[in-house]
C-alpha cells in the first residue's frame, strides 16, 4: 500500500474529528476572541474596551478575588486531605481497595445531588447538622450565611478528596520501596520518612495536583450556583458565575466573551506550566 | 545512627510492627473520613423516606417512624421526573455511543498510522483539553439559537460527541498492540477499515467498557450545558429538573432527596460494575 493512499485513508478516518473540533472548538474560540472586541449587540467594534472595563469592574474584580480565595482554600485543605488519605491507603491496610472506592463516590456524584444534599444538611432550620450539634450541647451555626465561601470550600474538598487521593496514590506508587527500606535501616521514623522521602519525591505530583485543582476551581460554577445562588449578596459569586450572569442576565455577550477570553488566558498559562512540569518529571525518571 | 546498631535490632527493619498504635490511629482516622464521606449520602435515603411532617418537624430523624416509600411515586406526580429521566438517558446514552464510535477510530489513527500532518493534528486535538467550557459555550449557544437547537436533543448532544480525553485514552490502549497483527491482516487483503473493525476493535473491549461507563456517568451528571441549552420544562435533564423542583417546592426535602436517589441510581450501578477498575481508570484518564 503506498504512502499517499495511507495518508488519504488516515485523513478520511480523521474527518469526523476534523469537522467536530473545527466547528465546536476552534471556530467558537476564534469567535470568542472576536466577539470580545465588540459591544453588547455585537455590532459596534469597541477594541479592547471590554477588557479594560473588566479590570475596572468592581463586580468582576470581586468575583476574581473570591475565586482566588476559594482556589487557595480548596488547594491547601484539599491537597492535605488527599495526600493524607493516599499515604494511609498506600499501606497494607485491610480493606484498602474498598476504602479507596468509597472515598471516590462523591467525585462521581452529580453536583446537583452534592449541592442540594449539603444545602439541606447545613440548613439552620431543617438541617441535620445543627440538630446533631444541639444534641451534643454545641451551638448551631448559620453556615451558609456567616461563612459562605469557607463552606463552599468545605463541600468542594468533601467531594474531590477521593480524586486527589487517587492522583497521589499514583505518585506514591512511583517511589521505590528501596528508599524506605534504607531509611528504616538508618533508623528514620515514620514522620522522618514522610518528610525526607515521600514529600520531596512527590513534588511533581503535588504540583500537578495543585495546577489541575487550580484550573478546575477557576471554572467552578455549578456548586455555588446550586448551594447559595452566588449569595448572600455576592459573597460566593465566583468568576464563572459572574461570567454566566453577564451573558444570560445582562445579555452582554461582547463583555461575557471578553471575560471568557481572560479565563482562557489564565487557564492556558497554567496548562503550559503544567506541561513544563510534566516534561521535567519525565526527564527526571 | 550507625547502621550496625540498627541492624542489630532486628525488628527495626519492620519498624511499623513496633507501633501498632500508629496503625490503629491511621485506621481510626480512615474510618472517620470514610463515614464523613458516606453518611451524608446515606442520610439522603433517610430524608427520602420521611413523611412531610417529619421533614418539617424540628427533631432529628435517624430513621423515619413509617418509611414513606410512596415518596418515590409522589415525586413523579409533583414534577415531570419521568421526562427528565428520559431526557438524561437519551443525552448521556447518545453521547456515550458517539464516543464509542469516534474515540477508538481517531485513537487508532494517532496510534498506528503514519501520514503527513499527523503531529499537528494530534497537538491540535490535545490542545482542546486546555479550553475551559465557558470559552466555547457562548458561541455554541449563539449558533444553536440560530439553528433552533435550543430545547432539542441534538442541542444537548452535539457539543460532546467526542473529546480529546477519550481519543487520547484509546490511543494509549492501542499503541501497545503488536503491529504484526495489522501487517498480517493487510497481507491477507483486509481493507484499512476492516483492519480497524475486525483486528483492533475486538482487542479494546475492556478499554471500551471503561470509556463508556465513564462517559455515561459524567454526561448523566452534566450540569452547565443542559442548564443553558434547555428552557422548556419538558426538555430539562434530571440534574437541572431536580434543582428547579427544589427551588419551587423548597420545603419538600423528602421528595427532593427521593429525586436525588433516582439521579444517583446510574452512578451506583456504575460503581458496582467498575469498582475493581475505578482507581486505575481514573489514574489513566486523570494523569496522562
Amino acid at each position: 500500500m503506498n504512502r499517499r493512499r495511507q495518508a488519504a485513508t488516515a485523513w478520511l478516518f480523521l474527518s469526523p474529528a476534523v469537522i467536530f473540533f473545527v466547528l465546536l472548538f476552534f471556530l467558537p474560540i476564534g469567535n470568542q476572541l472576536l466577539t470580545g472586541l465588540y459591544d453588547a449587540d455585537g455590532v459596534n467594534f469597541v477594541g479592547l474596551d471590554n477588557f479594560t472595563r473588566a479590570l475596572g469592574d468592581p463586580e468582576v474584580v470581586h468575583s476574581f478575588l473570591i475565586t482566588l480565595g476559594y482556589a487557595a482554600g480548596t488547594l491547601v485543605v484539599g491537597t492535605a486531605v488527599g495526600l493524607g488519605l493516599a499515604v494511609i491507603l498506600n499501606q497494607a491496610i485491610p480493606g484498602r481497595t474498598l476504602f479507596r472506592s468509597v472515598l471516590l463516590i462523591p467525585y462521581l456524584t452529580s453536583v446537583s445531588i452534592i449541592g442540594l444534599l449539603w444545602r439541606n444538611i447545613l440548613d439552620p432550620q431543617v438541617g441535620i447538622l445543627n440538630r446533631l450539634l444541639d444534641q451534643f450541647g454545641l451551638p448551631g451555626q448559620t453556615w451558609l450565611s456567616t461563612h459562605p465561601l469557607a463552606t463552599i470550600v468545605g463541600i468542594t474538598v468533601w467531594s474531590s478528596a477521593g480524586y486527589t487521593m487517587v492522583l497521589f496514590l499514583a505518585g506514591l506508587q512511583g517511589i521505590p520501596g528501596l528508599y524506605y527500606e534504607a531509611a528504616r535501616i538508618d533508623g528514620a521514623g515514620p514522620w522522618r520518612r514522610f518528610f525526607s522521602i515521600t514529600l520531596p519525591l512527590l513534588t511533581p505530583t503535588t504540583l500537578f495536583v495543585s495546577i489541575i485543582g487550580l484550573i478546575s476551581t477557576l471554572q467552578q460554577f455549578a456548586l455555588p450556583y446550586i448551594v447559595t445562588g452566588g449569595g448572600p449578596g455576592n459573597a460566593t459569586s465566583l468568576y464563572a458565575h459572574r461570567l454566566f450572569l453577564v451573558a444570560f442576565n445582562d445579555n452582554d455577550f461582547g463583555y461575557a466573551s471578553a471575560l471568557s477570553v481572560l479565563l482562557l488566558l489564565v487557564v492556558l498559562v497554567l496548562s503550559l506550566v503544567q506541561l513544563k512540569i510534566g516534561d521535567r518529571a519525565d526527564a527526571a525518571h | 545512627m550507625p547502621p550496625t546498631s540498627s541492624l542489630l535490632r532486628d525488628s527495626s527493619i519492620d519498624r511499623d510492627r513496633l507501633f501498632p498504635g500508629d496503625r490503629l490511629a491511621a485506621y481510626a482516622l480512615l474510618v472517620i473520613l470514610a463515614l464523613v464521606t458516606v453518611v451524608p449520602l446515606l442520610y439522603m435515603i433517610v430524608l427520602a423516606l420521611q413523611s412531610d411532617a417529619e421533614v418539617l418537624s424540628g427533631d432529628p430523624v435517624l430513621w423515619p417512624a413509617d418509611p414513606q416509600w410512596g415518596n418515590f411515586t409522589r415525586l413523579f406526580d409533583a414534577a415531570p421526573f419521568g421526562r427528565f429521566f428520559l431526557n438524561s438517558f437519551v443525552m448521556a446514552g447518545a453521547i456515550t455511543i458517539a464516543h464509542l464510535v469516534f474515540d477508538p477510530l481517531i485513537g487508532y489513527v494517532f496510534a498506528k498510522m503514519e501520514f503527513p500532518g499527523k503531529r499537528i493534528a494530534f497537538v491540535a486535538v490535545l490542545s482542546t483539553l486546555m479550553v475551559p467550557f465557558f470559552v466555547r459555550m457562548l458561541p455554541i449557544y449563539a449558533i444553536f439559537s440560530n439553528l433552533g437547537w435550543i430545547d432539542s436533543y441534538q442541542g444537548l448532544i452535539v457539543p460532546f460527541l467526542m473529546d480529546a480525553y477519550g481519543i487520547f485514552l484509546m490511543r494509549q490502549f492501542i499503541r501497545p498492540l503488536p503491529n504484526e497483527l495489522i501487517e498480517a491482516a493487510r497481507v491477507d487483503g483486509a481493507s484499512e477499515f476492516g483492519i480497524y473493525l475486525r483486528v483492533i476493535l475486538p482487542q479494546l473491549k475492556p478499554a471500551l467498557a471503561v470509556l463508556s461507563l465513564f462517559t455515561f456517568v459524567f454526561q448523566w451528571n452534566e450540569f452547565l450545558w443542559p442548564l443553558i441549552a434547555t428552557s422548556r420544562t419538558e426538555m430539562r435533564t434530571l440534574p437541572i429538573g431536580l434543582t428547579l423542583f427544589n427551588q419551587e417546592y423548597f420545603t419538600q426535602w423528602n421528595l427532593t432527596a427521593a429525586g436525588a436517589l433516582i439521579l444517583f441510581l446510574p452512578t451506583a450501578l456504575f460503581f458496582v460494575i467498575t469498582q475493581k477498575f475505578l482507581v486505575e481508570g481514573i489514574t489513566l484518564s486523570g494523569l496522562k
Side-chain angles (χ1 to χ4, degrees):
Chain A
M1 179 159 150
N2 66 48
R3 289 178 145 217
R4 278 180 67 173
R5 254 195 72 193
Q6 165 127 33
T9 315
W11 281 105
L12 179 71
F13 287 178
L14 277 184
S15 54
V18 172
I19 295 167
F20 176 80
F21 284 104
V22 167
L23 286 184
L24 290 146
F25 274 91
F26 294 110
L27 285 180
I29 297 165
N31 176 289
Q32 283 298 77
L33 297 175
L34 284 178
T35 315
L37 304 173
Y38 283 82
D39 65 2
D41 306 322
V43 181
N44 297 312
F45 183 81
V46 294
L48 292 175
D49 279 8
N50 284 324
F51 294 91
T52 46
R53 180 178 156 201
L55 299 176
D57 185 337
E59 284 181 324
V60 168
V61 173
H62 165 83
S63 71
F64 186 69
L65 292 178
I66 61 165
T67 305
L68 286 186
Y70 167 73
T74 307
L75 287 189
V76 172
V77 184
T79 309
V81 173
L83 177 58
L85 285 171
V87 167
I88 297 174
L89 283 172
N90 199 37
Q91 298 172 24
I93 278 177
R96 64 184 180 280
T97 319
L98 183 70
F99 275 116
R100 287 176 188 178
S101 302
V102 163
L103 290 162
L104 266 171
I105 298 177
Y107 171 68
L108 300 165
T109 306
S110 169
V111 67
S112 288
I113 298 178
I114 292 171
L116 292 172
L117 185 61
W118 282 100
R119 216 171 78 192
N120 175 275
I121 291 174
L122 298 171
D123 190 286
Q125 266 85 50
V126 299
I128 189 92
L129 188 60
N130 278 356
R131 295 192 210 165
L132 284 178
L133 287 178
D134 190 50
Q135 298 280 305
F136 291 108
L138 295 165
Q141 302 285 324
T142 48
W143 308 92
L144 289 166
S145 33
T146 358
H147 313 287
L149 201 59
T151 309
I152 297 289
V153 167
I155 300 171
T156 309
V157 170
W158 178 83
S159 67
S160 63
Y163 180 66
T164 313
M165 169 197 74
V166 170
L167 298 183
F168 273 120
L169 272 172
L172 283 173
Q173 272 149 29
I175 301 177
L178 220 66
Y179 293 177
Y180 291 104
E181 292 304 322
R184 281 205 181 100
I185 290 169
D186 287 348
W191 288 105
R192 182 71 201 274
R193 291 200 298 272
F194 176 76
F195 283 107
S196 302
I197 301 172
T198 312
L199 211 51
L201 287 174
L202 273 184
T203 307
T205 312
T206 312
L207 286 171
F208 175 82
V209 168
S210 316
I211 291 171
I212 59 156
L214 193 55
I215 290 172
S216 71
T217 48
L218 286 176
Q219 298 173 53
Q220 176 64 270
F221 167 79
L223 189 65
Y225 179 83
I226 295 165
V227 179
T228 61
N234 55 5
T236 56
S237 184
L238 299 178
Y239 188 83
H241 185 245
R242 175 56 45 198
L243 205 171
F244 174 85
L245 291 178
V246 167
F248 295 102
N249 279 22
D250 308 344
N251 287 314
D252 192 341
F253 266 53
Y255 193 30
S257 298
L259 292 183
S260 77
V261 170
L262 291 174
L263 181 65
L264 175 67
L265 288 178
V266 177
V267 170
L268 216 56
V269 169
L270 288 171
S271 303
L272 292 176
V273 171
Q274 180 203 316
L275 281 178
K276 261 275 182 312
I277 293 166
D279 283 351
R280 204 175 295 166
D282 282 348
H285 279 294
Chain B
M1 189 186 288
T4 39
S5 65
S6 62
L7 278 173
L8 282 175
R9 287 190 293 112
D10 191 31
S11 55
S12 70
I13 293 167
D14 205 353
R15 206 184 162 99
D16 280 352
R17 229 179 251 166
L18 283 174
F19 298 102
D22 278 1
R23 183 155 285 193
L24 211 66
Y27 209 76
L29 188 68
L30 207 57
V31 170
I32 290 169
L33 288 172
L35 285 176
V36 169
T37 306
V38 167
V39 166
L41 291 163
L42 291 177
Y43 176 64
M44 205 157 62
I45 301 171
V46 178
L47 201 55
L49 294 176
Q50 289 182 26
S51 66
D52 293 350
E54 277 172 317
V55 172
L56 289 168
S57 80
D59 308 317
V61 176
L62 290 181
W63 187 249
D66 179 22
Q68 303 288 308
W69 297 100
N71 284 348
F72 287 97
T73 47
R74 269 174 74 203
L75 179 69
F76 286 85
D77 300 327
F81 264 81
R83 187 60 200 257
F84 297 159
F85 194 94
L86 175 78
N87 293 342
S88 278
F89 195 79
V90 169
M91 174 183 147
I95 292 171
T96 305
I97 291 168
H99 275 248
L100 287 177
V101 170
F102 294 123
D103 292 357
L105 179 68
I106 314 296
Y108 169 62
V109 174
F110 286 133
K112 291 294 185 191
M113 295 177 104
E114 288 309 325
F115 57 96
K118 174 177 168 174
R119 211 186 134 68
I120 293 171
F122 189 56
V123 170
V125 168
L126 281 192
S127 72
T128 62
L129 287 175
M130 300 178 191
V131 183
F133 181 66
F134 271 97
V135 177
R136 62 192 193 105
M137 180 183 80
L138 300 179
I140 291 176
Y141 175 80
I143 296 165
F144 282 16
S145 293
N146 285 330
L147 288 173
W149 280 14
I150 300 303
D151 283 322
S152 75
Y153 285 122
Q154 65 269 34
L156 285 169
I157 292 161
V158 167
F160 304 108
L161 286 177
M162 56 185 102
D163 67 26
Y165 272 117
I167 292 169
F168 188 76
L169 198 65
M170 290 301 107
R171 175 186 174 264
Q172 296 304 87
F173 276 108
I174 295 167
R175 255 154 72 103
L177 299 178
N179 288 325
E180 289 76 13
L181 271 176
I182 300 168
E183 293 303 331
R186 207 167 274 159
V187 170
D188 288 347
S191 72
E192 285 299 302
F193 191 71
I195 294 173
Y196 164 72
L197 207 62
R198 277 186 281 276
V199 179
I200 300 296
L201 217 48
Q203 310 275 336
L204 294 179
K205 274 177 201 155
L208 294 176
V210 172
L211 176 72
S212 54
L213 288 164
F214 269 90
T215 308
F216 188 88
V217 166
F218 278 89
Q219 288 305 325
W220 179 263
N221 292 335
E222 169 68 24
F223 187 83
L224 180 53
W225 179 246
L227 175 72
I228 289 158
T230 62
S231 59
R232 292 205 335 255
T233 307
E234 64 266 32
M235 282 311 293
R236 295 296 197 183
T237 60
L238 205 43
I240 313 299
L242 189 66
T243 47
L244 294 179
F245 169 81
N246 179 264
Q247 280 157 17
E248 224 170 299
Y249 303 89
F250 188 71
T251 47
Q252 284 181 293
W253 278 110
N254 46 355
L255 297 192
T256 303
L261 279 173
I262 292 172
L263 175 57
F264 190 64
L265 215 65
T267 313
L269 262 174
F270 166 79
F271 201 73
V272 171
I273 298 168
T274 61
Q275 214 207 358
K276 268 199 303 199
F277 318 105
L278 197 59
V279 172
E280 282 83 344
I282 289 176
T283 312
L284 261 175
S285 57
L287 263 186
K288 298 291 164 109

